[in-house]
């Protein structure tokens, strides 16, 4: 969370909680972090966290029983009133901007409906938790993957990047939270809109490229033959050669070929440049500036930030399974004069 200088930090924390209670991200009765945990998470003074929690208890947004953790209110009337208040505040702000323009309401409503539909298009993670045995791998992950944005998740080894992607694809059932696609819960049909490109090629090595493409066409309704043909030509691959006979760099290209040839809205890419030679990397990176991912939402996990920094719109930094920092690259360049690598040094080496 990034704090502004226009209002006290404790008020911004309260607003943060209100928004998440109102939109359902924080479920009624669910635990909230302790005051100390919140202070560490947001890098604020514990007294500020304490003041925010005291105010939220007085407003009935959270409650604490004995020595148990604080919890989100279960009072439906309080939640409904909160939603109404937030709607009225948003409408007041909107009207204050629109009214002086002299626009007619009948002209505004169709635009609002269209824009509202566009805003709902995203993959959204809300308070996602995942553990293996006694190890918490994902701890309350919340962020979104939006169309026409390249979002990068970074972190040291073992911070949960691959687990996060596997969770989106429902390869790992999550313990808590929810993952939404365009505002709805994931279903089997949802995965026609999402393509997952893992860190290694998963097809049997005795297949050739053409056989691998035939396999994809059988199992995926959204397979695009024309796009596959274009990518074979772009990567200069021989469709009759067996997969096992290709170098690691060329196998990475084939992996991209199979993933990008799906007519999906979102692409998840796990370490696409890992172990790939310089020339193969250059070709793979060219894909990001082509029309193949125009208007698509991309989630990228990579250690090669220095090579992809110019492509990235948003960066979500994981540490010990939690989001340590979430920011837009251009915004932090303009406001703080820092590159993504500068921010990574601050977070991971502090």
């Amino acid at each position: 969370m990034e704090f502004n200088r226009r209002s006290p930090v404790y008020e911004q924390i309260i607003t943060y909680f209100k928004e998440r209670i109102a939109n359902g991200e924080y479920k009624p009765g669910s635990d909230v972090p302790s005051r100390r945990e919140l202070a560490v998470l947001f890098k604020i003074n514990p007294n500020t966290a304490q003041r925010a929690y005291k105010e939220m208890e007085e407003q009935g947004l959270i409650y604490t029983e004995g020595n148990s953790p604080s919890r989100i209110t279960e009072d439906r009337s309080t939640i409904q009133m909160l939603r109404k208040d937030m709607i009225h505040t948003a409408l007041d702000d909107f009207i204050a901007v629109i009214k002086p323009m002299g626009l007619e309401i009948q002209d505004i409503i169709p635009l609002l409906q269209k824009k509202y539909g566009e805003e709902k298009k995203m993959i959204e993670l809300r308070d996602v938790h995942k553990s293996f045995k006694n190890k918490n791998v994902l701890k309350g992950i919340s962020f979104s993957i939006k169309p026409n944005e390249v979002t990068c998740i970074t972190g040291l080894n073992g911070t949960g990047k691959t687990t996060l992607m596997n969770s989106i694809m429902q390869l790992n059932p999550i313990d808590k939270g929810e993952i939404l696609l365009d505002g709805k819960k994931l279903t089997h049909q949802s995965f026609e809109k999402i393509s997952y490109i893992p860190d290694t090629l998963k097809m049997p090595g005795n297949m050739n490229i053409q056989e691998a493409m035939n396999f994809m066409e059988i199992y995926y309704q959204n397979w695009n033959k024309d796009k596959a043909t274009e990518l074979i030509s772009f990567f200069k691959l021989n469709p009759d050669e067996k997969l096992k006979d290709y170098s690691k760099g060329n196998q990475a290209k084939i992996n991209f070929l199979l993933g990008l040839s799906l007519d999906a809205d979102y692409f998840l890419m796990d370490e696409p440049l890992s172990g790939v030679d310089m020339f193969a990397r250059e070709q793979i990176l060219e894909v990001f500036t082509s029309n193949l991912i125009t208007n698509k939402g991309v989630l990228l996990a990579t250690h090669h930030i220095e090579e992809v920094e110019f492509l990235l719109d948003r960066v979500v930094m994981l540490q010990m399974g939690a989001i340590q920092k979430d920011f837009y690259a251009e915004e932090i360049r303009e406001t703080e004069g820092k590159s993504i690598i500068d921010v990574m040094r601050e977070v991971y080496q502090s």
Side-chain angles (χ1 to χ4, degrees):
M1 179 178 178
E2 299 292 328
F3 297 105
N4 62 54
R5 297 181 181 180
R6 296 187 298 274
S7 58
V9 170
Y10 81 92
E11 289 183 358
Q12 294 179 60
I13 292 170
I14 294 170
T15 300
Y16 177 90
F17 272 81
K18 283 182 174 179
E19 289 172 349
R20 281 151 184 78
I21 294 170
N23 69 20
E25 182 178 333
Y26 287 174
K27 304 293 184 187
S30 62
D31 292 352
V32 298
S34 70
R35 280 72 167 162
R36 187 170 296 279
E37 287 171 339
L38 188 82
V40 171
L41 181 63
F42 290 154
K43 296 183 177 178
I44 59 174
N45 190 304
N47 292 330
T48 303
Q50 174 63 27
R51 182 172 182 182
Y53 275 43
K54 185 174 182 294
E55 292 269 349
M56 287 192 288
E57 285 183 338
E58 290 175 356
Q59 295 177 31
L61 301 176
I62 64 174
Y63 67 94
T64 308
E65 294 179 342
N67 294 323
S68 300
S70 296
R71 293 187 171 89
I72 299 296
T73 181
E74 298 175 67
D75 185 345
R76 290 186 179 181
S77 62
T78 298
I79 296 172
Q80 287 172 352
M81 184 62 69
L82 174 61
R83 286 175 178 157
K84 277 186 180 180
D85 287 346
M86 296 198 74
I87 289 169
H88 283 302
T89 300
L91 284 174
D92 288 344
D93 292 343
F94 177 73
I95 291 168
V97 174
I98 292 294
K99 201 170 183 180
M101 297 181 185
L103 299 174
E104 298 293 333
I105 190 70
Q106 60 265 29
D107 296 327
I108 296 170
I109 289 174
L111 295 172
L112 275 175
Q113 290 173 329
K114 182 183 177 191
K115 189 68 178 175
Y116 190 76
E118 289 173 355
E119 289 297 321
K120 289 181 74 173
K121 276 188 69 66
M122 67 179 81
I123 297 174
E124 189 175 5
L125 289 83
R126 296 181 175 180
D127 194 29
V128 172
H129 292 253
K130 176 63 186 174
S131 61
F132 295 100
K133 295 184 179 179
N134 295 324
K135 183 178 181 182
N136 295 322
V137 181
L138 300 177
K139 305 172 187 175
I141 300 296
S142 298
F143 73 98
S144 57
I145 306 157
K146 298 179 180 179
N148 209 31
E149 284 187 2
V150 178
T151 299
C152 183
I153 49 174
T154 71
L156 307 178
N157 290 331
T159 53
K161 299 187 295 296
T162 299
T163 299
L164 190 149
M165 289 199 175
N166 287 340
S167 296
I168 294 173
M169 298 303 295
Q170 293 193 335
L171 299 173
N172 291 328
I174 60 176
D175 303 327
K176 179 185 172 186
E178 59 183 353
I179 301 173
L180 306 177
L181 174 65
D182 299 343
K184 299 176 182 177
K185 290 188 176 181
L186 293 172
T187 64
H188 180 72
Q189 288 73 29
S190 300
F191 297 100
E192 292 291 322
K193 294 185 176 183
I194 308 173
S195 176
Y196 183 25
I197 304 175
D199 56 350
T200 55
L201 185 61
K202 303 300 183 184
M203 289 289 183
N206 59 352
M207 278 187 175
N208 61 33
I209 294 179
Q210 187 60 57
E211 289 168 338
M213 291 194 300
N214 293 343
F215 176 91
M216 295 289 288
E217 187 172 8
I218 291 169
Y219 283 96
Y220 291 94
Q221 294 181 3
N222 59 340
W223 177 257
N224 187 322
K225 258 186 180 179
D226 293 337
K227 199 186 287 187
T229 301
E230 180 184 347
L231 282 164
I232 282 180
S233 174
F234 176 77
F235 285 133
K236 299 180 174 59
L237 298 168
N238 176 5
D240 297 320
E241 191 168 345
K242 290 192 180 295
L243 303 180
K244 65 182 180 182
D245 294 332
Y246 276 103
S247 66
K248 187 166 184 178
N250 280 326
Q251 287 193 7
K253 295 177 190 176
I254 297 165
N255 209 17
F256 252 64
L257 156 69
L258 299 177
L260 290 175
S261 295
L262 297 172
D263 279 334
D265 293 333
Y266 305 93
F267 293 94
L268 313 185
M269 305 177 183
D270 190 6
E271 295 290 353
L273 305 178
S274 180
V276 176
D277 66 75
M278 178 179 69
F279 301 109
R281 283 183 195 177
E282 287 177 355
Q283 273 197 298
I284 289 170
L285 289 174
E286 278 187 59
V287 170
F288 286 88
T289 57
S290 72
N291 61 357
L292 292 168
I293 61 168
T294 299
N295 298 323
K296 308 297 183 183
V298 176
L299 180 64
L300 173 69
T302 181
H303 286 97
H304 299 278
I305 295 295
E306 68 284 354
E307 296 190 46
V308 300
E309 180 165 2
F310 72 101
L311 300 169
L312 305 180
D313 297 296
R314 183 179 181 186
V315 180
V316 178
M317 303 180 71
L318 298 183
Q319 191 167 34
M320 303 294 289
I323 294 178
Q324 192 69 22
K325 196 173 182 70
D326 178 357
F327 62 94
Y328 279 89
E330 191 61 32
E331 186 177 304
I332 212 153
R333 287 189 198 104
E334 290 179 356
T335 58
E336 300 183 30
K338 295 175 183 175
S339 68
I340 295 172
I341 293 176
D342 290 334
V343 179
M344 289 180 69
R345 286 196 182 100
E346 288 179 359
V347 171
Y348 297 127
Q349 294 182 352
S350 63

